[in-house]
Amino acid sequence: MINRKTLLELGWILPSIAIPVGMLVAVIVSAFGMMIHVPADAGTIQPAAIDSTPPFDQPGELRQVGPNEYEIALVAQIWVFNPREIRVPANSRVTFVATSRDVIHGLHIEGTNVNVMLIPGRITRQTAVFREPGEYRFVCHEYCGSGHHLMFGSVIVEET
Ligand code: CUA
């Protein structure tokens, strides 16, 4: 016979098992089912050698790497993104290969999964799919000094 006290204890014990199990399931589904991962380490680079190291020697140049697939190098520095404007065709998959020349910056592109840190000496790679034509603004979202608020730009997705 289950008495009131046992019910009360079960009322605490069962959720305290169910909640971590639910979280574990959410982690497994998002990692292996939805393939959501933190950006992988994409290599290192000497900040002083950025201008002579591909692909950063040609920042902003959209390179086609497959059907509807592009790559673009982006350099952040105080207090500007190079390039400031990126034009890509609609329905394209774009990989941003980015780094910082000086201090830690961030790159967040609105309406996409691009939300990364740009660390001097480190290369960051993140891929986004742009389906709808339009303007997707991006900002630096790591406070990087007095001109932090000036670091913005846009990805312009053009009708094909
Ligand atoms: Cu760059 Cu804030």
Side-chain angles (χ1 to χ4, degrees), residues 105 140 142 144 148 151:
H105 297 280
C140 172
E142 282 293 327
C144 54
H148 165 68
M151 290 190 70

Side-chain angles (χ1 to χ4, degrees), residues 18 60 72 107 116 138:
I72 189 161
L107 175 66
V116 292
F138 58 81

Side-chain angles (χ1 to χ4, degrees), residues 42-121:
T44 56
I45 184 168
Q46 284 298 323
I50 283 175
D51 292 330
S52 55
T53 309
F56 300 107
D57 55 342
Q58 288 179 312
E61 197 185 77
L62 196 67
R63 282 168 298 121
Q64 186 152 15
V65 292
N68 302 323
E69 236 181 293
Y70 301 87
E71 236 178 67
I72 189 161
L74 190 143
V75 177
Q77 64 190 81
I78 44 174
W79 286 286
V80 73
F81 284 110
N82 185 10
R84 250 201 141 135
E85 191 182 285
I86 298 167
R87 288 181 178 269
V88 298
N91 289 309
S92 57
R93 208 179 145 77
V94 183
T95 298
F96 297 85
V97 187
T99 191
S100 163
R101 192 187 293 281
D102 35 49
V103 299
I104 295 177
H105 297 280
L107 175 66
H108 175 241
I109 308 179
E110 68 175 1
T112 73
N113 59 327
V114 179
N115 185 339
V116 292
M117 291 176 78
L118 308 178
I119 301 168

